[in-house]
PDB file of all heavy atoms in Angstrom:
ATOM      1  N   THR A 299      14.646  18.410  -2.293  1.00  0.00           N
ATOM      2  CA  THR A 299      15.208  17.919  -3.539  1.00  0.00           C
ATOM      3  C   THR A 299      15.122  16.396  -3.561  1.00  0.00           C
ATOM      4  O   THR A 299      15.537  15.762  -2.603  1.00  0.00           O
ATOM      5  CB  THR A 299      16.729  18.338  -3.637  1.00  0.00           C
ATOM      6  OG1 THR A 299      16.796  19.751  -3.522  1.00  0.00           O
ATOM      7  CG2 THR A 299      17.290  17.906  -4.981  1.00  0.00           C
ATOM      8  N   GLY A 300      14.516  15.862  -4.634  1.00  0.00           N
ATOM      9  CA  GLY A 300      14.350  14.396  -4.673  1.00  0.00           C
ATOM     10  C   GLY A 300      14.078  13.901  -6.072  1.00  0.00           C
ATOM     11  O   GLY A 300      14.228  14.617  -7.067  1.00  0.00           O
ATOM     12  N   GLN A 301      13.684  12.642  -6.136  1.00  0.00           N
ATOM     13  CA  GLN A 301      13.449  11.987  -7.436  1.00  0.00           C
ATOM     14  C   GLN A 301      12.409  10.914  -7.303  1.00  0.00           C
ATOM     15  O   GLN A 301      12.207  10.307  -6.254  1.00  0.00           O
ATOM     16  CB  GLN A 301      14.758  11.401  -7.972  1.00  0.00           C
ATOM     17  CG  GLN A 301      15.355  10.318  -7.083  1.00  0.00           C
ATOM     18  CD  GLN A 301      16.692   9.820  -7.611  1.00  0.00           C
ATOM     19  OE1 GLN A 301      17.287  10.386  -8.503  1.00  0.00           O
ATOM     20  NE2 GLN A 301      17.133   8.703  -7.048  1.00  0.00           N
ATOM     21  N   PHE A 302      11.722  10.626  -8.432  1.00  0.00           N
ATOM     22  CA  PHE A 302      10.761   9.543  -8.554  1.00  0.00           C
ATOM     23  C   PHE A 302      11.432   8.293  -9.091  1.00  0.00           C
ATOM     24  O   PHE A 302      12.375   8.381  -9.868  1.00  0.00           O
ATOM     25  CB  PHE A 302       9.626   9.923  -9.527  1.00  0.00           C
ATOM     26  CG  PHE A 302       8.614  10.853  -8.951  1.00  0.00           C
ATOM     27  CD1 PHE A 302       8.569  12.194  -9.324  1.00  0.00           C
ATOM     28  CD2 PHE A 302       7.650  10.380  -8.096  1.00  0.00           C
ATOM     29  CE1 PHE A 302       7.638  13.052  -8.803  1.00  0.00           C
ATOM     30  CE2 PHE A 302       6.679  11.210  -7.560  1.00  0.00           C
ATOM     31  CZ  PHE A 302       6.661  12.551  -7.930  1.00  0.00           C
ATOM     32  N   SER A 303      10.951   7.170  -8.673  1.00  0.00           N
ATOM     33  CA  SER A 303      11.261   5.908  -9.324  1.00  0.00           C
ATOM     34  C   SER A 303      10.049   4.967  -9.223  1.00  0.00           C
ATOM     35  O   SER A 303       9.135   5.238  -8.433  1.00  0.00           O
ATOM     36  CB  SER A 303      12.487   5.264  -8.659  1.00  0.00           C
ATOM     37  OG  SER A 303      12.257   4.986  -7.289  1.00  0.00           O
ATOM     38  N   THR A 304      10.033   3.948 -10.071  1.00  0.00           N
ATOM     39  CA  THR A 304       8.931   3.037 -10.048  1.00  0.00           C
ATOM     40  C   THR A 304       9.045   2.085  -8.856  1.00  0.00           C
ATOM     41  O   THR A 304      10.160   1.798  -8.366  1.00  0.00           O
ATOM     42  CB  THR A 304       8.825   2.216 -11.311  1.00  0.00           C
ATOM     43  OG1 THR A 304      10.072   1.524 -11.509  1.00  0.00           O
ATOM     44  CG2 THR A 304       8.548   3.092 -12.529  1.00  0.00           C
ATOM     45  N   ASP A 305       7.952   1.601  -8.319  1.00  0.00           N
ATOM     46  CA  ASP A 305       7.919   0.662  -7.177  1.00  0.00           C
ATOM     47  C   ASP A 305       7.131  -0.559  -7.670  1.00  0.00           C
ATOM     48  O   ASP A 305       5.934  -0.562  -7.592  1.00  0.00           O
ATOM     49  CB  ASP A 305       7.248   1.338  -6.006  1.00  0.00           C
ATOM     50  CG  ASP A 305       7.488   0.526  -4.715  1.00  0.00           C
ATOM     51  OD1 ASP A 305       8.335  -0.340  -4.723  1.00  0.00           O
ATOM     52  OD2 ASP A 305       6.790   0.813  -3.706  1.00  0.00           O
ATOM     53  N   GLY A 306       7.916  -1.526  -8.188  1.00  0.00           N
ATOM     54  CA  GLY A 306       7.220  -2.680  -8.828  1.00  0.00           C
ATOM     55  C   GLY A 306       6.552  -2.234 -10.107  1.00  0.00           C
ATOM     56  O   GLY A 306       6.964  -1.272 -10.763  1.00  0.00           O
ATOM     57  N   ASN A 307       5.513  -2.943 -10.508  1.00  0.00           N
ATOM     58  CA  ASN A 307       4.817  -2.627 -11.761  1.00  0.00           C
ATOM     59  C   ASN A 307       3.554  -1.823 -11.530  1.00  0.00           C
ATOM     60  O   ASN A 307       2.775  -1.579 -12.454  1.00  0.00           O
ATOM     61  CB  ASN A 307       4.536  -3.887 -12.574  1.00  0.00           C
ATOM     62  CG  ASN A 307       3.705  -4.894 -11.754  1.00  0.00           C
ATOM     63  OD1 ASN A 307       3.187  -4.539 -10.676  1.00  0.00           O
ATOM     64  ND2 ASN A 307       3.546  -6.090 -12.284  1.00  0.00           N
ATOM     65  N   ASN A 308       3.277  -1.475 -10.272  1.00  0.00           N
ATOM     66  CA  ASN A 308       2.030  -0.718 -10.022  1.00  0.00           C
ATOM     67  C   ASN A 308       2.214   0.389  -8.946  1.00  0.00           C
ATOM     68  O   ASN A 308       1.236   0.851  -8.397  1.00  0.00           O
ATOM     69  CB  ASN A 308       0.963  -1.722  -9.494  1.00  0.00           C
ATOM     70  CG  ASN A 308       1.308  -2.317  -8.144  1.00  0.00           C
ATOM     71  OD1 ASN A 308       2.487  -2.408  -7.785  1.00  0.00           O
ATOM     72  ND2 ASN A 308       0.332  -2.738  -7.410  1.00  0.00           N
ATOM     73  N   GLY A 309       3.444   0.854  -8.801  1.00  0.00           N
ATOM     74  CA  GLY A 309       3.635   1.889  -7.763  1.00  0.00           C
ATOM     75  C   GLY A 309       4.721   2.871  -8.096  1.00  0.00           C
ATOM     76  O   GLY A 309       5.498   2.710  -9.070  1.00  0.00           O
ATOM     77  N   LEU A 310       4.805   3.922  -7.257  1.00  0.00           N
ATOM     78  CA  LEU A 310       5.846   4.942  -7.348  1.00  0.00           C
ATOM     79  C   LEU A 310       6.426   5.132  -5.969  1.00  0.00           C
ATOM     80  O   LEU A 310       5.772   4.949  -4.960  1.00  0.00           O
ATOM     81  CB  LEU A 310       5.261   6.267  -7.830  1.00  0.00           C
ATOM     82  CG  LEU A 310       4.542   6.296  -9.165  1.00  0.00           C
ATOM     83  CD1 LEU A 310       3.844   7.677  -9.356  1.00  0.00           C
ATOM     84  CD2 LEU A 310       5.524   6.038 -10.304  1.00  0.00           C
ATOM     85  N   VAL A 311       7.685   5.560  -5.963  1.00  0.00           N
ATOM     86  CA  VAL A 311       8.325   5.937  -4.725  1.00  0.00           C
ATOM     87  C   VAL A 311       9.056   7.272  -4.950  1.00  0.00           C
ATOM     88  O   VAL A 311       9.737   7.421  -5.993  1.00  0.00           O
ATOM     89  CB  VAL A 311       9.243   4.863  -4.153  1.00  0.00           C
ATOM     90  CG1 VAL A 311      10.365   4.515  -5.144  1.00  0.00           C
ATOM     91  CG2 VAL A 311       9.879   5.316  -2.848  1.00  0.00           C
ATOM     92  N   TYR A 312       8.855   8.254  -4.067  1.00  0.00           N
ATOM     93  CA  TYR A 312       9.557   9.503  -4.171  1.00  0.00           C
ATOM     94  C   TYR A 312      10.469   9.621  -2.937  1.00  0.00           C
ATOM     95  O   TYR A 312      10.026   9.541  -1.819  1.00  0.00           O
ATOM     96  CB  TYR A 312       8.557  10.677  -4.185  1.00  0.00           C
ATOM     97  CG  TYR A 312       9.213  12.000  -4.356  1.00  0.00           C
ATOM     98  CD1 TYR A 312       9.752  12.404  -5.569  1.00  0.00           C
ATOM     99  CD2 TYR A 312       9.322  12.887  -3.273  1.00  0.00           C
ATOM    100  CE1 TYR A 312      10.365  13.638  -5.732  1.00  0.00           C
ATOM    101  CE2 TYR A 312       9.913  14.132  -3.437  1.00  0.00           C
ATOM    102  CZ  TYR A 312      10.453  14.503  -4.653  1.00  0.00           C
ATOM    103  OH  TYR A 312      11.059  15.710  -4.787  1.00  0.00           O
ATOM    104  N   THR A 313      11.747   9.797  -3.222  1.00  0.00           N
ATOM    105  CA  THR A 313      12.729   9.931  -2.141  1.00  0.00           C
ATOM    106  C   THR A 313      13.342  11.353  -2.228  1.00  0.00           C
ATOM    107  O   THR A 313      13.665  11.804  -3.326  1.00  0.00           O
ATOM    108  CB  THR A 313      13.836   8.882  -2.241  1.00  0.00           C
ATOM    109  OG1 THR A 313      14.438   8.949  -3.531  1.00  0.00           O
ATOM    110  CG2 THR A 313      13.296   7.495  -2.018  1.00  0.00           C
ATOM    111  N   ALA A 314      13.543  11.972  -1.054  1.00  0.00           N
ATOM    112  CA  ALA A 314      14.024  13.376  -1.090  1.00  0.00           C
ATOM    113  C   ALA A 314      14.620  13.700   0.244  1.00  0.00           C
ATOM    114  O   ALA A 314      14.544  12.947   1.222  1.00  0.00           O
ATOM    115  CB  ALA A 314      12.866  14.298  -1.430  1.00  0.00           C
ATOM    116  N   SER A 315      15.153  14.929   0.317  1.00  0.00           N
ATOM    117  CA  SER A 315      15.619  15.481   1.600  1.00  0.00           C
ATOM    118  C   SER A 315      15.250  16.983   1.610  1.00  0.00           C
ATOM    119  O   SER A 315      15.305  17.626   0.539  1.00  0.00           O
ATOM    120  CB  SER A 315      17.128  15.300   1.808  1.00  0.00           C
ATOM    121  OG  SER A 315      17.847  15.896   0.745  1.00  0.00           O
ATOM    122  N   LEU A 316      14.938  17.472   2.771  1.00  0.00           N
ATOM    123  CA  LEU A 316      14.593  18.898   2.870  1.00  0.00           C
ATOM    124  C   LEU A 316      15.823  19.764   2.628  1.00  0.00           C
ATOM    125  O   LEU A 316      16.917  19.406   3.018  1.00  0.00           O
ATOM    126  CB  LEU A 316      14.033  19.206   4.289  1.00  0.00           C
ATOM    127  CG  LEU A 316      12.702  18.523   4.657  1.00  0.00           C
ATOM    128  CD1 LEU A 316      12.278  18.974   6.045  1.00  0.00           C
ATOM    129  CD2 LEU A 316      11.629  18.852   3.647  1.00  0.00           C
ATOM    130  N   ASP A 317      15.600  20.885   1.980  1.00  0.00           N
ATOM    131  CA  ASP A 317      16.731  21.757   1.595  1.00  0.00           C
ATOM    132  C   ASP A 317      17.410  22.377   2.815  1.00  0.00           C
ATOM    133  O   ASP A 317      18.603  22.587   2.804  1.00  0.00           O
ATOM    134  CB  ASP A 317      16.221  22.867   0.673  1.00  0.00           C
ATOM    135  CG  ASP A 317      15.757  22.361  -0.674  1.00  0.00           C
ATOM    136  OD1 ASP A 317      16.165  21.221  -1.038  1.00  0.00           O
ATOM    137  OD2 ASP A 317      14.975  23.039  -1.349  1.00  0.00           O
ATOM    138  N   ASN A 318      16.622  22.702   3.874  1.00  0.00           N
ATOM    139  CA  ASN A 318      17.268  23.484   4.957  1.00  0.00           C
ATOM    140  C   ASN A 318      17.994  22.594   5.974  1.00  0.00           C
ATOM    141  O   ASN A 318      19.066  23.007   6.441  1.00  0.00           O
ATOM    142  CB  ASN A 318      16.214  24.356   5.642  1.00  0.00           C
ATOM    143  CG  ASN A 318      15.037  23.569   6.198  1.00  0.00           C
ATOM    144  OD1 ASN A 318      14.981  22.342   6.087  1.00  0.00           O
ATOM    145  ND2 ASN A 318      14.072  24.267   6.789  1.00  0.00           N
ATOM    146  N   ASN A 319      17.489  21.456   6.336  1.00  0.00           N
ATOM    147  CA  ASN A 319      18.171  20.662   7.361  1.00  0.00           C
ATOM    148  C   ASN A 319      18.573  19.234   6.905  1.00  0.00           C
ATOM    149  O   ASN A 319      19.034  18.450   7.701  1.00  0.00           O
ATOM    150  CB  ASN A 319      17.338  20.592   8.644  1.00  0.00           C
ATOM    151  CG  ASN A 319      16.036  19.833   8.493  1.00  0.00           C
ATOM    152  OD1 ASN A 319      15.770  19.277   7.421  1.00  0.00           O
ATOM    153  ND2 ASN A 319      15.257  19.790   9.515  1.00  0.00           N
ATOM    154  N   GLY A 320      18.254  18.950   5.633  1.00  0.00           N
ATOM    155  CA  GLY A 320      18.685  17.633   5.096  1.00  0.00           C
ATOM    156  C   GLY A 320      17.873  16.434   5.552  1.00  0.00           C
ATOM    157  O   GLY A 320      18.295  15.298   5.292  1.00  0.00           O
ATOM    158  N   MET A 321      16.766  16.669   6.251  1.00  0.00           N
ATOM    159  CA  MET A 321      15.957  15.511   6.725  1.00  0.00           C
ATOM    160  C   MET A 321      15.448  14.708   5.549  1.00  0.00           C
ATOM    161  O   MET A 321      14.788  15.254   4.643  1.00  0.00           O
ATOM    162  CB  MET A 321      14.801  15.990   7.611  1.00  0.00           C
ATOM    163  CG  MET A 321      14.035  14.833   8.227  1.00  0.00           C
ATOM    164  SD  MET A 321      12.881  15.389   9.502  1.00  0.00           S
ATOM    165  CE  MET A 321      11.596  16.156   8.518  1.00  0.00           C
ATOM    166  N   LYS A 322      15.722  13.433   5.567  1.00  0.00           N
ATOM    167  CA  LYS A 322      15.303  12.587   4.453  1.00  0.00           C
ATOM    168  C   LYS A 322      13.887  12.076   4.644  1.00  0.00           C
ATOM    169  O   LYS A 322      13.435  11.866   5.778  1.00  0.00           O
ATOM    170  CB  LYS A 322      16.271  11.363   4.317  1.00  0.00           C
ATOM    171  CG  LYS A 322      17.675  11.729   3.972  1.00  0.00           C
ATOM    172  CD  LYS A 322      18.575  10.498   3.918  1.00  0.00           C
ATOM    173  CE  LYS A 322      20.012  10.890   3.562  1.00  0.00           C
ATOM    174  NZ  LYS A 322      20.931   9.692   3.559  1.00  0.00           N
ATOM    175  N   TYR A 323      13.210  11.900   3.510  1.00  0.00           N
ATOM    176  CA  TYR A 323      11.852  11.326   3.616  1.00  0.00           C
ATOM    177  C   TYR A 323      11.557  10.529   2.360  1.00  0.00           C
ATOM    178  O   TYR A 323      12.226  10.651   1.307  1.00  0.00           O
ATOM    179  CB  TYR A 323      10.802  12.411   3.838  1.00  0.00           C
ATOM    180  CG  TYR A 323      10.560  13.363   2.701  1.00  0.00           C
ATOM    181  CD1 TYR A 323       9.569  13.120   1.771  1.00  0.00           C
ATOM    182  CD2 TYR A 323      11.327  14.540   2.558  1.00  0.00           C
ATOM    183  CE1 TYR A 323       9.311  14.015   0.720  1.00  0.00           C
ATOM    184  CE2 TYR A 323      11.055  15.453   1.545  1.00  0.00           C
ATOM    185  CZ  TYR A 323      10.055  15.177   0.627  1.00  0.00           C
ATOM    186  OH  TYR A 323       9.824  16.074  -0.366  1.00  0.00           O
ATOM    187  N   ALA A 324      10.545   9.672   2.470  1.00  0.00           N
ATOM    188  CA  ALA A 324      10.128   8.853   1.300  1.00  0.00           C
ATOM    189  C   ALA A 324       8.610   8.784   1.312  1.00  0.00           C
ATOM    190  O   ALA A 324       7.966   8.715   2.404  1.00  0.00           O
ATOM    191  CB  ALA A 324      10.726   7.445   1.422  1.00  0.00           C
ATOM    192  N   VAL A 325       8.038   8.787   0.139  1.00  0.00           N
ATOM    193  CA  VAL A 325       6.596   8.602  -0.042  1.00  0.00           C
ATOM    194  C   VAL A 325       6.377   7.499  -1.071  1.00  0.00           C
ATOM    195  O   VAL A 325       6.972   7.565  -2.166  1.00  0.00           O
ATOM    196  CB  VAL A 325       5.947   9.928  -0.570  1.00  0.00           C
ATOM    197  CG1 VAL A 325       4.415   9.724  -0.764  1.00  0.00           C
ATOM    198  CG2 VAL A 325       6.203  11.078   0.374  1.00  0.00           C
ATOM    199  N   ARG A 326       5.573   6.537  -0.732  1.00  0.00           N
ATOM    200  CA  ARG A 326       5.268   5.450  -1.658  1.00  0.00           C
ATOM    201  C   ARG A 326       3.773   5.391  -1.948  1.00  0.00           C
ATOM    202  O   ARG A 326       2.939   5.610  -1.030  1.00  0.00           O
ATOM    203  CB  ARG A 326       5.632   4.075  -1.022  1.00  0.00           C
ATOM    204  CG  ARG A 326       7.137   3.779  -0.940  1.00  0.00           C
ATOM    205  CD  ARG A 326       7.397   2.418  -0.362  1.00  0.00           C
ATOM    206  NE  ARG A 326       8.820   2.274  -0.099  1.00  0.00           N
ATOM    207  CZ  ARG A 326       9.706   1.816  -0.949  1.00  0.00           C
ATOM    208  NH1 ARG A 326       9.292   1.446  -2.197  1.00  0.00           N
ATOM    209  NH2 ARG A 326      11.004   1.701  -0.674  1.00  0.00           N
ATOM    210  N   ILE A 327       3.451   5.162  -3.228  1.00  0.00           N
ATOM    211  CA  ILE A 327       2.061   5.036  -3.663  1.00  0.00           C
ATOM    212  C   ILE A 327       1.949   3.741  -4.465  1.00  0.00           C
ATOM    213  O   ILE A 327       2.757   3.537  -5.407  1.00  0.00           O
ATOM    214  CB  ILE A 327       1.618   6.232  -4.535  1.00  0.00           C
ATOM    215  CG1 ILE A 327       1.884   7.565  -3.832  1.00  0.00           C
ATOM    216  CG2 ILE A 327       0.142   6.078  -4.898  1.00  0.00           C
ATOM    217  CD1 ILE A 327       3.035   8.336  -4.404  1.00  0.00           C
ATOM    218  N   GLN A 328       1.034   2.918  -4.125  1.00  0.00           N
ATOM    219  CA  GLN A 328       0.722   1.726  -4.971  1.00  0.00           C
ATOM    220  C   GLN A 328      -0.740   1.691  -5.242  1.00  0.00           C
ATOM    221  O   GLN A 328      -1.577   2.163  -4.446  1.00  0.00           O
ATOM    222  CB  GLN A 328       1.144   0.435  -4.254  1.00  0.00           C
ATOM    223  CG  GLN A 328       2.621   0.116  -4.413  1.00  0.00           C
ATOM    224  CD  GLN A 328       2.928  -1.340  -4.109  1.00  0.00           C
ATOM    225  OE1 GLN A 328       2.049  -2.195  -4.116  1.00  0.00           O
ATOM    226  NE2 GLN A 328       4.199  -1.636  -3.822  1.00  0.00           N
ATOM    227  N   ALA A 329      -1.101   1.169  -6.406  1.00  0.00           N
ATOM    228  CA  ALA A 329      -2.485   1.073  -6.797  1.00  0.00           C
ATOM    229  C   ALA A 329      -2.783  -0.377  -7.226  1.00  0.00           C
ATOM    230  O   ALA A 329      -1.951  -1.067  -7.796  1.00  0.00           O
ATOM    231  CB  ALA A 329      -2.769   2.006  -7.986  1.00  0.00           C
TER     232      ALA A 329
END
């Protein structure tokens, strides 16, 4: 379960946690 947000004016960041054990993670993409 997570959500997207913008990362500056040229990127995205997705933050979430796994449903079963709550481990948090983040993925960033910039172009």
Side-chain angles (χ1 to χ4, degrees):
T299 305
Q301 61 183 12
F302 282 105
S303 59
T304 58
D305 192 13
N307 58 9
N308 64 336
L310 301 172
V311 59
Y312 182 73
T313 55
S315 59
L316 295 183
D317 294 339
N318 57 2
N319 66 4
M321 186 169 72
K322 295 178 181 178
Y323 68 93
V325 180
R326 289 182 188 271
I327 307 106
Q328 278 197 20

